[in-house]
Amino acid sequence: MRRRTQGVLGGRSDRVVRRVLDAALGELARSGYAGLRMDEVASVAAVNKTTIYRRWPSRAALVTALVDRMRTPLRESPLPDTGRLESDLLEAFARRFTVGREVAGRAWARLLDERFNPEVEAIIGAAVETRRGEWRAMVTRAIDRGELPPGTDAQLVLDLVRAIVDARGAARRMDRTWLTLAVRTVLAGARAGTLRRGRQPRPRRRG
Amino acid sequence: MRRRTQGVLGGRSDRVVRRVLDAALGELARSGYAGLRMDEVASVAAVNKTTIYRRWPSRAALVTALVDRMRTPLRESPLPDTGRLESDLLEAFARRFTVGREVAGRAWARLLDERFNPEVEAIIGAAVETRRGEWRAMVTRAIDRGELPPGTDAQLVLDLVRAIVDARGAARRMDRTWLTLAVRTVLAGARAGTLRRGRQPRPRRRG
DNA sequence: CCAGAAGGCAACCAGCAGTTGCCTTCAGCG
DNA sequence: CGCTGAAGGCAACTGCTGGTTGCCTTCTGG
């Protein structure tokens, strides 16, 4: 039997896929996940709603596919390794907001904002999880270089930076200033030994 | 004409108000804001949906009233002033998660998780904004005491701690460990001078 | 040129916010 | 005690949206 012409750019199907994903991207950036109306996507894509549902059984599936496509270029380039953790972190995080076009950045920010939503969390989680090891390695290298005290919890460092960065959602646009602040503050904490693995940090009186 | 028997505890109306708000609290803790079904609230409160809508014109209004009631005891006690910023912050933030009963804590956490939602943000914002000055004063005192370098941006310190704390939402329950981590890390950053007002912090090579 | 995959169309179901019109109950005043 | 008006109950309804279904049309490649 004839297979779907996936991958053969220019086929009827692929044209539809591209148009739907493009439309979905725009709608996601505009209205966020919760506000994304399938009818609207269909109409913008100049495609029937049924067509969308035939290929992606739910909104979650559609957005998952979209995120996957968004992150494709990202997936191909390795994480930065500048020899200095601060620069590595700055660059690595900055990339998250400049995936491809401007729209994609906004769409991703909207998703982050809605990460409380189990569906969204699953989507983001799946996308991020794959590179967790690489990210951790980035921090570990810094520890080995002596930039951070031995015993520092690499994952914790990342979690903290992410927590701060993600706090800046769609409303207030992510900017370099905030990102820098997040990275420097967390690194200062780590250097002060606040982020050792396992044991509770003891209170430190100011000197 | 006879007025509503508001305030006269035990009246029919007040009993209804209490039951509806209690029910709403439970539902909010269980299902979050977006998942809060008015029919369910009505049914749990053993009250008719119409009755709810007559008093609170929308879900947002209902939750606003609920939050207002939740925060009443909090509003009455001043923020801590232990003479040490770390303790102040720890205690002040810890309170947010122990407003009254256990349920209220969970409900509040759910709200925080959904703060991306404009409606929710308005609700939270209104509740929090009122004490912004007090919080800032807490940090300013510490600067005056010399705990933090002069010129430190008090609001920024608070924003950062909040960013980290809030990252722990409903799924992973807020715990003292994470809170401590957040406070200590941000304070370490602040002591290192990362959070001066206005000017961009210069990169600091590790010593 | 034709079989089968993919797309279009229209009507439909289900869940839920919010509404409406009308009836019932209750508190309290005369 | 009985009346009055406010507050509550009830049931049916609108409107929106995600997701479904059955059937017909179009495109594509062998």
Side-chain angles (χ1 to χ4, degrees):
Chain A
M1 73 186 80
R2 242 160 290 162
R3 278 279 88 240
R4 231 175 213 175
T5 41
Q6 278 180 357
V8 184
L9 298 173
R12 187 161 61 136
S13 304
D14 302 274
R15 200 169 51 247
V16 165
V17 168
R18 223 175 320 121
R19 289 170 63 168
V20 170
L21 288 186
D22 283 346
L25 179 65
E27 289 307 297
L28 184 60
R30 211 164 57 86
S31 319
Y33 183 83
L36 191 156
R37 297 189 308 108
M38 299 300 268
D39 308 53
E40 194 60 28
V41 173
S43 133
V44 169
V47 139
N48 200 279
K49 191 172 59 150
T50 331
T51 304
I52 299 183
Y53 275 108
R54 255 194 289 260
R55 202 173 286 263
W56 303 278
S58 68
R59 176 173 32 168
L62 175 61
V63 175
T64 302
L66 174 60
V67 167
D68 189 67
R69 194 190 62 164
M70 272 169 56
R71 296 182 63 91
T72 305
L74 220 60
R75 231 192 325 270
E76 282 158 5
S77 64
L79 288 179
D81 182 7
T82 65
R84 201 162 137 263
L85 183 54
E86 182 174 316
S87 330
D88 284 355
L89 285 173
L90 283 176
E91 192 184 326
F93 273 98
R95 280 191 198 169
R96 293 178 24 171
F97 294 91
T98 51
V99 214
R101 269 174 298 266
E102 179 64 6
V103 214
R106 255 178 298 143
W108 183 250
R110 296 306 291 261
L111 272 184
L112 284 180
D113 266 353
E114 294 176 63
R115 83 197 94 91
F116 84 92
N117 178 331
E119 277 177 31
V120 176
E121 183 156 29
I123 294 172
I124 294 182
V128 169
E129 202 66 30
T130 53
R131 307 199 73 178
R132 188 183 278 271
E134 269 184 85
W135 280 78
R136 201 157 13 200
M138 189 171 88
V139 179
T140 309
R141 281 198 301 271
I143 299 175
D144 292 344
R145 281 196 302 266
E147 279 191 62
L148 295 183
T152 299
D153 187 326
Q155 190 59 52
L156 212 46
V157 172
L158 294 170
D159 285 350
L160 281 180
V161 177
R162 238 180 61 137
I164 301 179
V165 168
D166 289 357
R168 278 288 168 104
R172 302 142 294 195
R173 292 277 292 117
M174 172 54 51
D175 62 351
R176 198 82 192 186
T177 311
W178 181 259
L179 178 54
T180 308
L181 208 64
V183 169
R184 289 199 181 142
T185 303
V186 172
L187 288 189
R191 274 192 294 262
T194 330
L195 305 181
R196 307 289 181 109
R197 199 183 348 251
R199 83 185 83 93
Q200 266 305 61
R202 288 201 312 286
R204 298 166 47 91
R205 297 277 176 180
R206 65 184 196 83
Chain B
M1 73 185 81
R2 243 160 287 163
R3 278 276 91 240
R4 231 175 212 175
T5 41
Q6 276 180 357
V8 184
L9 298 173
R12 187 159 60 134
S13 304
D14 303 274
R15 199 169 52 247
V16 165
V17 169
R18 224 175 318 119
R19 288 171 64 168
V20 170
L21 288 186
D22 284 347
L25 179 65
E27 288 308 296
L28 183 61
R30 210 164 59 84
S31 319
Y33 183 82
L36 190 155
R37 297 189 307 109
M38 300 299 267
D39 308 52
E40 194 59 29
V41 173
S43 133
V44 170
V47 140
N48 200 280
K49 191 173 60 151
T50 330
T51 302
I52 298 183
Y53 275 107
R54 255 193 288 258
R55 201 173 287 264
W56 302 278
S58 68
R59 179 175 25 171
L62 176 61
V63 175
T64 302
L66 174 59
V67 166
D68 189 68
R69 196 191 61 165
M70 271 168 57
R71 295 183 63 92
T72 304
L74 218 61
R75 231 191 325 268
E76 283 159 4
S77 65
L79 288 179
D81 182 6
T82 66
R84 202 163 137 263
L85 182 55
E86 181 174 316
S87 331
D88 284 355
L89 285 173
L90 283 176
E91 191 183 327
F93 272 98
R95 279 192 198 170
R96 291 177 27 171
F97 293 92
T98 50
V99 214
R101 269 176 297 268
E102 180 62 8
V103 214
R106 255 179 297 142
W108 184 250
R110 296 304 291 260
L111 272 184
L112 285 180
D113 266 353
E114 293 176 64
R115 85 197 91 90
F116 86 93
N117 178 331
E119 278 177 29
V120 175
E121 183 154 31
I123 294 173
I124 294 182
V128 168
E129 201 66 29
T130 53
R131 308 199 72 178
R132 188 184 278 271
E134 270 184 85
W135 280 79
R136 199 153 19 197
M138 191 171 86
V139 179
T140 309
R141 281 197 301 270
I143 299 175
D144 292 344
R145 282 195 302 264
E147 279 190 62
L148 295 183
T152 298
D153 186 327
Q155 190 59 54
L156 211 45
V157 172
L158 293 170
D159 285 350
L160 281 180
V161 177
R162 239 181 61 136
I164 301 179
V165 167
D166 289 357
R168 280 286 168 106
R172 302 144 294 195
R173 291 278 290 118
M174 174 52 53
D175 62 351
R176 197 81 192 186
T177 310
W178 181 258
L179 178 54
T180 307
L181 208 63
V183 170
R184 289 198 181 142
T185 304
V186 172
L187 288 189
R191 275 191 293 262
T194 331
L195 305 181
R196 306 291 182 108
R197 200 182 349 252
R199 82 186 82 93
Q200 267 304 62
R202 288 202 310 285
R204 297 166 46 91
R205 297 279 174 179
R206 64 185 198 83

